[in-house]
Amino acid sequence: MLEQVIDLALRSGCQAAEAYSQSVNETPVEFENNRLKLIHSRVLGGVALRVFRDGKVGFATTTRLTDPQLLVDNARAVAEFGAKGGFDFPGLAELPAVANYDRQVLELPVETMVERGQAMVDTVTAYDPQVMTMAQVHRGRGSVRIVNSSGLDIEYATTYYGLVCGGLLVEPENFLSTWEAEFSARLQGDPVALARDVIAKLKLGKTNVGLAGGKYPVILTPTALSECLGPLTACINGQAVYRGISPWRQRLGEQVAAPVFSVYDDPLRPYGAGTVPCDDEGVPARRLPIIERGVLANFLYDLRTAAAMGAGPTGNGKRESLSDLPSIDVSNLVVEGGDSSFPAMLRDMGQGIVVDQLEGAWSGNLYSGQINGVIGLGYKVENGEITGRVKDCMFSIDAFTAFKDHIVALSRERKQLWDMLLPYVLLSEADISTSS
Amino acid sequence: MRELLQTLVRLGGADYIEVRVEESHVTSLGFKGRDLDRVGKSIEFGGNIRALTNGGWGFVSFNDLKDLEAKLQLACTQARLSARSEGGQLAAVPVVEDQVALDVAKDPRRLSLADKMALMGSYNDIILSYGGPIQSSSVYYSDKHSRLYFANSEGTYLEQEKLDLAGGATAFATRDGNTQLGRVGFGSSRDFAVAEGQEDQVREACRQAVELLDAPVVTGGEYTVICDPRLAGIFAHEAFGHLSEGDDVAENPSLAQVMTLGTRFGQPFLNIYDSGLDAGARGYLKYDDEGVLTEKTYLIREGVLVGRLHNRQSAARMGERPTGSARALDYTFPPICRMRNTCIEAGEATFENMLAGVKLGLYAVDSYGGQTDGEMFTFSAGRAYMIRDGRLAEPVRDVNLTGNVFVTLRNIDMVGADFTAHEGPGGCGKWSQSPLPTSEWAPHIRIRNVVVGGNK
């Protein structure tokens, strides 16, 4: 169908055209409150069309695949009002080989998925029948095809497999909620081990301890770190740089973080959840240093922003959904590990806080660098040991200062969280606000 | 469509079967700085079949309406696979046949794309010509017109038309590596006019962004906080609305105990309800996505818990009535218990009453959004001012509020008389279904002992 769409677009007076199709076939199996609740089968697909007409961009999408002419008419009509183009669609280029497909994922019977979900529920329930367990087993196949009038014709498929396990313990005015998840392009992960991780957190969170507000050393778990990276990804976005709102816009080559802190976008990482051979505009994927030993190394660009900035595209043109135009995003965000470990950090910290789950840290003005989140799950540490759960506390850092001046150590061990690979981080200080 | 869907659900294979088809047309546009960022048209066409057997659901979603019988069989097989031994009935509801046409004031479909572009472009121009440290802008608008077809095996058949529109403008002020924002937003389910006449508000957003450049980060600690109606609405939504969603309560005995009807949660002047009846609100709906008529559901009346938001399954499990609260983001998701328009009812206090007697406090206005884990909630204020000795004082920035829902509801010590029906552009998220259009209307409220994050 894509060739037909391109052909129709060019014949209707467009000078260039790009058609992108995406299809998904996935089967989530969902347990809620200790019981199998829903088996879902999703078979979805659609086409997005981007055209240049008289130097302006037109864009339309459809999931009604029976009417290509309407898609073309919509894109063409919109182009009259569209943004200025200023870039060309890329031609055919050699794509890197990536490992992002595992046939075994697709061969997994639904019955086995149900068994694995049940195994997670049974494991947590055996620990404490009062805990309400949620479990999900996901498997799916996605495929993408991009064809444009510059001669590009790319097609690739990915698979993904994921396990999610969470537990909720409700006592009067005392809720304890925690979860663990593992996603990959291949069949990996042990449901029972994941459920045991949840149990470990439920145990640590069982006893509440008091905490006075003030400055504390803090260990961010990979989960908490993922909630604190918003300002960083906002500031390295080429469009925020182009618009002059990124505080880092003139700091390329400068020290913006501690020398131990290195961040990459690595779309080539074997079996990552965001592993792809090219971005959603057909630009070949490559491993891109973002911050190298604390020095700001690159901004991320899609085709349009790269052209506007006179830079080369970095392969970060991503479509958030089929109906969105490509915009800038990462594939697999990787923070390099250090030479410490979580147990060593606990020992080294002595007194302080472990922050694991943060709620609401994403909200607010990312460009200010200020992170504020309520500690959904966090622990007090005394004499190098976790003594109990801290509650009703707000965690605050200025991410720019924290990652530059307050990093004491990073752990060797890292955790894959969706499309991120992150270590534990020990910070010398963070502000904790509590009720008096 | 009717023939196709009704024939399908009569084929059987499960205790209960429903089918839904949706066709939506979306127009969206956005400016970022001087550049038009995007303009596009999307057609979203698809459907789903949901089957229930002994309390277990099978659900199949698709774009392609071919082979619907095979899709039905798959849904029924999945339902049997997830069937449980006990329970899982649906609460009885009237069988209805209805066609719900749009009741539109100013219809965005009658406006050309050029008109919408010109209006949003004019807001963008106001920001970019404001001068001073205003460095950039972001302006966006989208409207979605949907036709929904729904049939179930009990004989209900509905055809509904829906409209949702939303937009907003953000001004970015930048100085010395410090970037601050000011924002306006709007939304409606029936009237494009809400998008018009925002010029003064856009200029005010610019002023606020510039003002925040010089504002210090708030000092963390415990404060008496006066929330403006927008933030109060987000509070009702995050802190209490999510806790009232019946699917969680019904399946969790400990939570059901905490949420026993009749339990006191607040002072006698606190009333919270959730309603699908407010025409024009983004949370307006005549029928929910299980074909149940919506209603106005009181959650807290005179400080006491009196109700919750049910779908048919959670209502049956708790022996309560369905409230028309089953909503699905779109055809790719099953309906779950959701909010519609969550409101704090007007009280009697004036803003001056609230300020009086606050020695050191915060006036928090508007919101970037919030989150809850059930018990602990948080939300960020769009902007905030210190209250010193009963008077509004200097602006402060990066104000995030947190609290424990049970404690905080008890700590609401004043509810204003100035109930405000503001519709924002944001949406609500639950179990990966986001953003669902919801509304939050409220007056000013005052809360004692709220924890605010920030520097020490």
Side-chain angles (χ1 to χ4, degrees), chain A residues 27 32-33 35-46 57-65 70-71 74 77-79 81-84 110-111 114 130 132 168 170-177 213-215 227 239 242-247 249 304 308 322-325 358-368 370 372-377 389-398 400 431-436, chain B residues 23 25 31-33 35-46 50 55-64 74 78 81-84 86 113-114 117 135-138 172 174 177-181 217 220-222 243 247-248 251-255 258 313 317 331-334 368-380 397-404 406-407 410 431-432 449 451-456:
Chain A
T27 309
E32 292 286 343
N33 298 306
R35 290 166 165 183
L36 180 57
K37 176 102 176 213
L38 177 75
I39 301 177
H40 184 169
S41 161
R42 266 196 193 105
V43 184
L44 302 172
V57 181
F59 181 68
T61 71
T62 187
T63 64
R64 185 167 221 159
L65 302 176
L70 181 59
L71 176 69
N74 276 344
V78 161
F81 307 99
K84 283 199 278 296
V110 174
E111 289 78 0
V114 171
Q130 295 296 105
M132 288 292 139
L168 171 67
V170 173
E171 294 168 356
E173 306 206 2
N174 187 33
F175 290 26
L176 173 58
S177 162
K215 281 194 192 296
E227 299 284 344
Q239 197 181 42
Y242 173 63
R243 295 167 66 202
I245 57 177
S246 167
R249 68 190 181 282
R304 187 171 59 145
L322 179 76
S323 54
D324 290 305
L325 270 167
L358 277 175
E359 317 273 348
W362 48 268
S363 71
N365 168 14
L366 292 175
Y367 303 104
S368 81
Q370 197 68 31
N372 292 294
V374 62
I375 302 177
L377 185 59
R389 179 186 183 200
V390 295
K391 282 189 64 185
D392 302 321
C393 299
M394 181 76 92
F395 161 88
S396 304
I397 53 170
D398 170 351
F400 301 139
D431 289 302
I432 306 290
S433 306
T434 63
S435 51
S436 47
Chain B
E23 174 157 6
H25 291 252
F31 294 88
K32 284 192 173 167
D35 300 327
L36 178 63
D37 182 52
R38 65 190 152 91
V39 49
K41 282 179 185 277
S42 291
I43 298 167
E44 288 162 21
F45 178 79
R50 193 165 70 130
W57 291 101
F59 184 78
V60 176
S61 56
F62 44 83
N63 294 120
D64 189 342
L74 178 58
Q78 291 175 341
L81 205 57
S82 52
R84 45 183 79 158
E86 88 282 11
L113 187 54
M117 299 278 299
Q135 184 83 27
S136 190
S137 60
S138 169
F172 294 78
T174 300
N178 174 11
T179 296
Q180 295 299 325
L181 325 181
V217 174
E222 206 173 39
L243 201 54
D247 36 15
D248 280 324
E251 295 178 8
N252 185 335
S254 327
L255 185 58
V258 171
Q313 194 173 35
R317 188 162 288 144
Y331 62 89
T332 64
F333 291 100
Y368 284 110
Q371 195 172 351
T372 176
D373 72 349
E375 179 197 19
M376 283 185 287
F377 64 84
T378 174
F379 44 76
S380 57
R397 66 177 170 93
D398 298 316
V399 171
N400 277 52
L401 316 173
T402 182
N404 178 298
F406 306 107
V407 176
R410 287 197 292 268
W431 302 351
S432 76
N449 306 113
V451 174
V452 174
N455 299 339
K456 292 286 161 197

Side-chain angles (χ1 to χ4, degrees), chain A residues 62-287:
Chain A
T62 187
T63 64
R64 185 167 221 159
L65 302 176
T66 49
D67 198 349
Q69 187 63 51
L70 181 59
L71 176 69
V72 172
D73 290 347
N74 276 344
R76 191 173 167 276
V78 161
E80 189 183 332
F81 307 99
K84 283 199 278 296
F87 64 92
D88 296 319
F89 293 127
L92 204 54
E94 197 170 332
L95 299 184
V98 290
N100 63 353
Y101 195 91
D102 178 3
R103 175 169 292 280
Q104 283 186 71
V105 169
L106 306 175
E107 288 166 356
L108 190 69
V110 174
E111 289 78 0
T112 310
M113 295 171 69
V114 171
E115 283 166 17
R116 291 184 180 184
Q118 191 66 51
M120 290 192 271
V121 171
D122 290 346
T123 306
V124 178
T125 311
Y127 158 70
D128 182 352
Q130 295 296 105
V131 174
M132 288 292 139
T133 308
M134 66 83 79
Q136 296 176 359
V137 183
H138 295 259
R139 67 138 209 241
R141 178 186 193 278
S143 65
V144 167
R145 187 166 175 229
I146 313 172
V147 179
N148 69 31
S149 54
S150 301
L152 184 88
D153 187 347
I154 287 171
E155 189 166 16
Y156 69 86
T158 58
T159 53
Y160 58 90
Y161 174 72
L163 300 170
V164 185
C165 183
L168 171 67
L169 188 60
V170 173
E171 294 168 356
E173 306 206 2
N174 187 33
F175 290 26
L176 173 58
S177 162
T178 185
W179 51 267
E180 287 283 325
E182 185 164 351
F183 276 83
S184 167
R186 72 178 153 188
L187 199 61
Q188 66 175 36
D190 174 357
V192 172
L194 198 73
R196 288 199 182 119
D197 290 343
V198 171
I199 293 169
K201 298 213 286 190
L202 289 168
K203 281 181 180 163
L204 289 175
K206 198 151 183 121
T207 317
N208 297 331
V209 289
L211 185 74
K215 281 194 192 296
Y216 289 89
V218 160
I219 298 171
L220 299 176
T221 67
T223 304
L225 178 61
S226 75
E227 299 284 344
C228 297
L229 294 173
L232 187 148
T233 49
C235 291
I236 56 163
N237 184 308
Q239 197 181 42
V241 175
Y242 173 63
R243 295 167 66 202
I245 57 177
S246 167
W248 286 356
R249 68 190 181 282
Q250 285 157 342
R251 303 201 57 191
L252 217 52
E254 290 181 26
Q255 197 82 32
V256 295
V260 290
F261 197 64
S262 293
V263 184
Y264 296 85
D265 181 28
D266 189 1
L268 311 182
R269 206 166 80 73
Y271 299 107
T275 299
V276 283
C278 62
D279 72 2
D280 294 335
E281 300 180 298
V283 176
R286 61 181 162 118
R287 183 172 186 264

Side-chain angles (χ1 to χ4, degrees), chain B residues 26-301:
Chain B
V26 180
T27 299
S28 62
L29 63 96
F31 294 88
K32 284 192 173 167
R34 304 212 169 273
D35 300 327
L36 178 63
D37 182 52
R38 65 190 152 91
V39 49
K41 282 179 185 277
S42 291
I43 298 167
E44 288 162 21
F45 178 79
N48 66 59
I49 297 170
R50 193 165 70 130
L52 177 70
T53 291
N54 282 337
W57 291 101
F59 184 78
V60 176
S61 56
F62 44 83
N63 294 120
D64 189 342
L65 261 56
K66 275 187 298 195
D67 304 325
L68 282 178
E69 283 187 33
K71 285 164 179 149
L72 172 67
Q73 280 173 14
L74 178 58
C76 292
T77 307
Q78 291 175 341
R80 278 196 297 277
L81 205 57
S82 52
R84 45 183 79 158
S85 47
E86 88 282 11
Q89 285 81 17
L90 300 180
V93 291
V95 171
V96 287
E97 290 196 22
D98 199 358
Q99 296 214 344
V100 183
L102 267 185
D103 167 28
V104 200
K106 187 163 188 174
D107 190 339
R109 289 172 300 163
R110 291 183 182 277
L111 275 84
S112 69
L113 187 54
D115 291 338
K116 295 171 190 171
M117 299 278 299
L119 181 64
M120 296 302 139
S122 72
Y123 298 149
N124 199 45
D125 290 341
I126 290 174
I127 299 174
L128 293 174
S129 60
Y130 190 84
I134 296 290
Q135 184 83 27
S136 190
S137 60
S138 169
V139 176
Y140 71 97
Y141 167 84
S142 75
D143 58 53
K144 177 175 181 176
H145 174 256
S146 308
R147 272 178 199 283
L148 305 173
Y149 305 86
F150 174 92
N152 72 21
S153 53
E154 296 167 352
T156 286
Y157 181 76
L158 293 170
E159 290 188 18
Q160 300 184 79
E161 247 187 299
K162 285 188 184 180
L163 175 68
D164 184 56
L165 69 91
T170 305
F172 294 78
T174 300
R175 188 197 293 146
D176 304 331
N178 174 11
T179 296
Q180 295 299 325
L181 325 181
R183 304 184 310 162
V184 297
F186 53 81
S188 176
S189 61
R190 73 185 292 261
D191 197 357
F192 182 79
V194 299
E196 300 172 320
Q198 297 279 337
E199 291 79 7
D200 289 345
Q201 287 89 327
V202 172
R203 272 186 282 272
E204 173 61 14
C206 295
R207 192 195 64 74
Q208 287 160 5
V210 174
E211 179 182 81
L212 280 175
L213 283 177
D214 294 318
V217 174
V218 68
T219 304
E222 206 173 39
Y223 294 92
T224 295
V225 175
I226 300 175
C227 299
D228 88 317
R230 295 183 197 184
L231 190 55
I234 300 284
F235 166 76
H237 176 106
E238 288 303 332
F240 199 72
H242 280 294
L243 201 54
S244 298
E245 290 165 342
D247 36 15
D248 280 324
V249 184
E251 295 178 8
N252 185 335
S254 327
L255 185 58
Q257 199 169 3
V258 171
M259 298 297 287
T260 303
L261 299 184
T263 306
R264 176 161 291 282
F265 277 90
Q267 302 199 45
F269 47 77
L270 183 67
N271 294 287
I272 300 179
Y273 65 86
D274 183 275
S275 175
L277 305 180
D278 298 305
R282 296 184 66 213
Y284 168 79
L285 59 160
K286 183 167 181 188
Y287 296 96
D288 74 2
D289 290 320
E290 292 183 322
V292 177
L293 262 180
T294 63
E295 57 163 38
K296 177 176 177 179
T297 313
Y298 271 91
L299 306 176
I300 291 183
R301 201 165 213 167

